[in-house]
Amino acid sequence: MISLFRIDDRLIHGQIMTSWSKVTQAKRIVIADDDVIKDQFVCMVMKHAIPKDIKLEILSTEDAIKYLLENDDEISTIVLVKTSEVAYRIIENGIKVQSLNIGGMGMKPGRKTIYKNIAATPSELEALNKIQSLGIDVEFKILPGDKGVRLSSL
């Protein structure tokens, strides 16, 4: 069961481990990223950054889709991706989600600010709109206690 589907270009960090994992009671984290999977050092650091009672899967996007389809169970799962294009690809391949949380998309070339410290390229914004058009709630929310802001209200 996907309890949190989040775009966060930092992937594993303090907010995920101290706030989101507790609120969702996550027992599994799935990272879908085609670049991170190639960096064994980063993968090792991430594995050491999470509690031992949480299972971490760092996978390519395609492997993450297969894994999530095969493991559609009652285990509370956080799915982390860096971009909205990857989030859309996961959704369009049959992964069922109720909402998409946007927690971190930092400024980089080609991106423009869309809300506070969250920025997107035109194609990333298009992917967010496609996700929203599927009836999925797209919300900007850094921490669980924050008041979320829906994409539709911007």
Side-chain angles (χ1 to χ4, degrees):
M1 160 184 70
I2 297 175
S3 52
L4 177 66
F5 188 42
R6 180 177 169 101
I7 298 173
D8 193 323
D9 51 18
R10 297 174 293 166
L11 299 172
I12 298 286
H13 57 87
Q15 291 170 350
I16 297 296
M17 298 321 308
T18 61
S19 298
W20 288 107
S21 66
K22 288 184 174 77
V23 167
T24 61
Q25 298 179 352
K27 294 297 176 198
R28 178 171 52 207
I29 297 174
V30 176
I31 292 174
D33 192 278
D34 294 333
D35 293 326
V36 169
I37 190 66
K38 297 173 191 172
D39 189 330
Q40 291 306 307
F41 177 74
V42 170
C43 290
M44 181 188 68
V45 169
M46 283 194 222
K47 287 178 182 176
H48 289 297
I50 64 167
K52 299 215 182 298
D53 64 331
I54 297 177
K55 181 178 182 181
L56 176 64
E57 298 287 345
I58 304 171
L59 305 164
S60 68
T61 303
E62 286 305 311
D63 287 342
I65 292 166
K66 290 176 194 168
Y67 179 86
L68 291 166
L69 287 169
E70 292 169 3
N71 293 280
D72 184 16
D73 50 34
E74 293 304 310
I75 297 173
S76 181
T77 303
I78 295 174
V79 177
L80 300 171
V81 299
K82 286 185 177 180
T83 69
S84 56
E85 288 109 337
V86 173
Y88 180 68
R89 197 161 138 212
I90 288 170
I91 292 166
E92 74 176 342
N93 277 280
I95 304 305
K96 304 284 187 245
V97 298
Q98 300 293 317
S99 62
L100 173 64
N101 171 271
I102 303 171
M105 292 174 65
M107 186 58 76
K108 66 180 188 182
R111 280 186 173 173
K112 291 186 178 168
T113 301
I114 56 174
Y115 176 74
K116 292 189 176 183
N117 293 333
I118 297 171
T121 64
S123 64
E124 289 169 335
L125 191 53
E126 180 183 345
L128 290 174
N129 285 316
K130 285 180 182 178
I131 292 167
Q132 181 178 261
S133 74
L134 295 172
I136 296 168
D137 185 28
V138 178
E139 183 177 53
F140 300 89
K141 190 173 187 177
I142 306 302
L143 294 169
D146 292 349
K147 183 179 183 332
V149 174
R150 289 193 164 81
L151 175 64
S152 59
S153 71
L154 297 180

